Amino acid sequence: MLKRFTAVLMIFCLVFVLAACGDKKEATPSDSSSAKELITVGFSQVGAESDWRTANTESMKSTFSEANGFELIFDDAQQKQDNQIAAIRNFIQQEVDYIVLAPVTETGWDTVLQEAKDAGIPVIIVDRMVDVSDDSLYTAWVGSNFELEGKKAAGWLDAYLKAAGKGEEEVNIVDIQGTIGASAQIGRTAGLEAGVAAHSNWKLLAKVSGEFTQAKGQEVMESLLKQYGDQIDVVYCENDNEAFGAIDAIEAAGYKVGSDGDMIVMSFDSTNAGMTDTLSGKITVNTECNPLHGPRVQEIIDTLQKGGTVDKQKFVDEGIFSYDNSVTSIKVDGTDYPVTQVTDEVIKARSY
Ligand code: GYE
């Protein structure tokens, strides 16, 4: 009996010693096994075309840091889908734990996302959407309601013109669109077009892509001014950087922007620089698009890690900011949205 007890005790001690060794091993910071515990995320970013994009990249990089338990493999696709497809294939080869994709345009993803699915790697889509034949090719999407953004902007224009006593006047609009085929372009253009369709006195003179960049926004505006000159009343820019370029072109041509000028500029994103131009009145209205998606994507990954289920699609809440207070609220599809007048405090309270 005593013999048996001694044997059990010895086994118990041995297990204890081994367990202690195991603990010690895990606690050693220099041990390479601790690096393996990082969750590897491959992120294919569109590019660096705008202030919004820079803020988005920063949000992703600061969230998916080693300190937070991640190893981030970041790829800048320079606005080219082919580069994004190559990056995803590379992530698959590296056997990352998750693929995060901010797609440049909506279509053309079926094949490569099928490859990721076959490799068993969950794909999270962020910002713009993908248009795929099979929804199971991605796990979740988080981003903005771009069509709602466009409808809000058109709703603001309607209320603004009415408040200025110009509700019945003929209004000539030019649309400097984003990258054609990107969700942000599709939704914002659609929102404006719905507004034009609902107003017999609104005329869309032209719609041309400014590729979401300042340089292209300026170039496009220069040619629109050559073609239409002072017939233009409203310049609808589908992001802040296009608005910066358009404003430069308008001023260089000798026109004044703003509600007391020759034409008003409408914009999207509400980045810090965009809000500064809204405060000065160069941009009359700025519809917000929030780029801080890092923590939102992390929440999805955290839930998946715990074996939980996530929303297939999640929209972000966003505001609308104006230079003056002639419009304080707008109604879109039966819902009221407040319009906030930009002040120094409003800008200071924001982080991008
Ligand atoms: O509005 C623009 C950027 O997809 C929401 O892309 C994003 C858009 C954003 O280049 O500035």
Side-chain angles (χ1 to χ4, degrees):
M1 179 68 193
L2 188 67
K3 234 179 174 181
R4 211 160 144 209
F5 176 75
T6 313
V8 168
L9 191 70
M10 275 174 72
I11 290 169
F12 180 79
C13 288
L14 193 69
V15 168
F16 182 77
V17 167
L18 284 176
C21 282
D23 275 358
K24 200 166 163 215
K25 208 174 165 226
E26 268 175 19
T28 309
S30 61
D31 192 322
S32 65
S33 69
S34 58
K36 279 199 193 116
E37 284 160 27
L38 295 176
I39 298 168
T40 311
V41 173
F43 175 40
S44 169
Q45 175 62 294
V46 171
E49 74 282 2
S50 65
D51 286 29
W52 188 99
R53 190 64 57 195
T54 305
N56 177 250
T57 295
E58 174 49 33
S59 170
M60 297 293 282
K61 283 188 173 170
S62 59
T63 302
F64 294 104
S65 63
E66 289 208 6
N68 282 346
F70 296 96
E71 185 193 338
L72 178 67
I73 309 172
F74 178 86
D75 187 88
D76 176 336
Q78 303 185 342
Q79 302 236 63
K80 292 193 183 74
Q81 184 174 41
D82 284 351
N83 291 345
Q84 295 205 284
I85 291 172
I88 293 171
R89 293 204 166 122
N90 185 24
F91 298 153
I92 295 170
Q93 228 164 33
Q94 294 192 59
E95 298 180 352
V96 299
D97 297 311
Y98 293 91
I99 291 173
V100 180
L101 168 66
V104 61
T105 49
E106 291 192 350
T107 55
W109 299 104
D110 295 72
T111 307
V112 76
L113 293 190
Q114 184 65 54
E115 290 168 26
K117 190 181 174 190
D118 292 345
I121 303 173
V123 174
I124 298 161
I125 311 290
V126 67
D127 167 24
R128 305 173 186 174
M129 288 182 175
V130 290
D131 180 3
V132 281
S133 51
D134 171 7
D135 269 4
S136 76
L137 292 181
Y138 65 91
T139 303
W141 169 85
V142 62
S144 307
N145 187 336
F146 301 112
E147 187 160 351
L148 177 61
E149 289 177 356
K151 285 182 173 176
K152 281 187 202 163
W156 175 88
L157 182 61
D158 170 80
Y160 169 81
L161 292 170
K162 282 181 182 150
K166 294 179 183 171
E168 305 300 319
E169 284 179 19
E170 183 148 313
V171 181
N172 290 320
I173 307 166
V174 292
D175 179 6
I176 303 185
Q177 300 173 284
T179 302
I180 301 299
S183 309
Q185 175 276 313
I186 295 170
R188 291 169 190 170
T189 300
L192 174 64
E193 284 177 340
V196 170
H199 295 80
S200 56
N201 57 325
W202 290 16
K203 192 167 165 202
L204 188 55
L205 293 177
K207 46 179 183 174
V208 198
S209 176
E211 309 279 353
F212 283 130
T213 69
Q214 176 161 352
K216 194 80 182 161
Q218 179 168 352
E219 188 189 309
V220 162
M221 191 66 215
E222 280 163 4
S223 67
L224 288 169
L225 285 164
K226 276 192 198 119
Q227 208 175 338
Y228 300 104
D230 60 7
Q231 282 179 58
I232 302 169
D233 302 304
V234 177
V235 185
Y236 181 94
C237 298
E238 294 188 9
N239 83 339
D240 278 342
N241 294 77
E242 290 179 344
F244 306 148
I247 291 165
D248 286 348
I250 296 165
E251 290 179 340
Y255 298 110
K256 188 174 185 308
V257 288
S259 48
D260 60 346
D262 303 297
M263 46 193 89
I264 65 161
V265 173
M266 300 173 67
S267 185
F268 292 86
D269 284 354
S270 306
T271 55
N272 193 283
M275 291 287 274
T276 305
D277 273 2
T278 314
L279 181 69
S280 75
K282 289 193 179 204
I283 292 173
T284 306
V285 70
N286 208 324
T287 304
E288 184 183 31
C289 181
N290 190 302
L292 307 179
H293 292 317
R296 298 180 186 119
V297 176
Q298 186 186 349
E299 202 184 312
I300 293 171
I301 291 180
D302 287 349
T303 307
L304 294 173
Q305 283 293 108
K306 287 185 209 133
T309 48
V310 293
D311 291 339
K312 190 79 187 179
Q313 301 201 329
K314 202 163 181 181
F315 289 118
V316 170
D317 285 338
E318 294 166 330
I320 173 163
F321 300 97
S322 64
Y323 162 65
D324 65 14
N325 62 358
S326 62
V327 178
T328 53
S329 154
I330 49 165
K331 201 185 265 303
V332 175
D333 297 335
T335 304
D336 287 314
Y337 296 92
V339 178
T340 307
Q341 186 178 11
V342 180
T343 59
D344 279 320
E345 285 65 39
V346 168
I347 297 180
K348 260 187 233 136
R350 297 165 55 78
S351 57
Y352 62 91

